[in-house]
Amino acid sequence: MMDIRCFIGIDVSKATPDWAVFDGKKIVFQSQSLNSESGVKATVKLIKALPNFTIMGSVCCMEHTDHYTLALCCFLQQAELPYTMISPLELKRSMGLTRGKNDRVDAMRIAQFTCLHGSGRPSAAAQSSAPSLGQPSQAEKSDGLPRSAGQDRH
């Protein structure tokens, strides 16, 4: 498997997601697009034109923000760009105290978080064992609370 060298952070919003591409050392691209098929396609085209960009050497990452991410995930899948989603709480906790809210900066932080914490491409086994939408996982069935695999109940 090829090393991931292009970490694409996306701060998803209703109308205009912000994008940042981190190469492991610095932010090499920033943009904002419409949250539409044409807007995402135009931004993906710009990202694919970056020097040293490869599909297999990249991963997109975004916070799971309910239905706003659904369309974006579909567009990324059509563009054959791998993506992963993180919990907004996990990202917030990793950043510590921050002041203000800035979507452009959030996209950069998501890209850097992905690089630092290895939130890369999910394995084939993880994809095949993931529960389908609308069906609770085994951990959720017992008490209705979501848990990651191996998380202890106290």
Side-chain angles (χ1 to χ4, degrees):
M1 175 180 254
M2 185 177 207
D3 288 333
I4 297 176
R5 295 184 177 188
C6 185
F7 303 90
I8 304 164
I10 307 168
D11 186 62
V12 182
S13 68
K14 181 178 182 178
T16 55
D18 283 84
W19 303 69
V21 179
F22 184 66
D23 69 0
K25 296 178 185 173
K26 64 185 183 300
I27 299 294
V28 295
F29 175 83
Q30 281 189 285
S31 182
Q32 188 178 67
S33 70
L34 293 175
N35 199 358
S36 66
E37 185 172 4
S38 62
V40 172
K41 279 184 178 181
T43 303
V44 168
K45 184 176 180 179
L46 293 171
I47 291 171
K48 285 182 174 181
L50 292 172
N52 302 318
F53 176 86
T54 64
I55 296 272
M56 293 304 294
S58 67
V59 65
C60 296
C61 186
M62 66 195 101
E63 293 176 302
H64 191 292
T65 54
D66 201 26
H67 61 280
Y68 297 133
T69 56
L70 181 60
L72 185 57
C73 290
C74 292
F75 301 146
L76 292 173
Q77 193 165 2
Q78 288 173 359
E80 298 180 348
L81 270 175
Y83 65 91
T84 187
M85 299 170 87
I86 57 173
S87 159
L89 183 59
E90 180 180 0
L91 181 65
K92 182 178 179 179
R93 286 181 177 165
S94 76
M95 293 187 303
L97 284 174
T98 58
R99 295 184 70 198
K101 171 85 170 100
N102 181 323
D103 294 340
R104 183 180 172 122
V105 172
D106 287 349
M108 291 189 300
R109 289 177 178 154
I110 293 168
Q112 292 167 335
F113 174 91
T114 307
C115 177
L116 292 172
H117 297 283
S119 296
R121 180 184 334 268
S123 68
Q127 289 175 351
S128 64
S129 65
S132 62
L133 290 175
Q135 294 187 1
S137 66
Q138 193 63 30
E140 291 174 313
K141 287 181 182 176
S142 62
D143 60 7
L145 297 174
R147 290 191 174 75
S148 60
Q151 184 177 4
D152 294 334
R153 295 181 188 161
H154 298 339

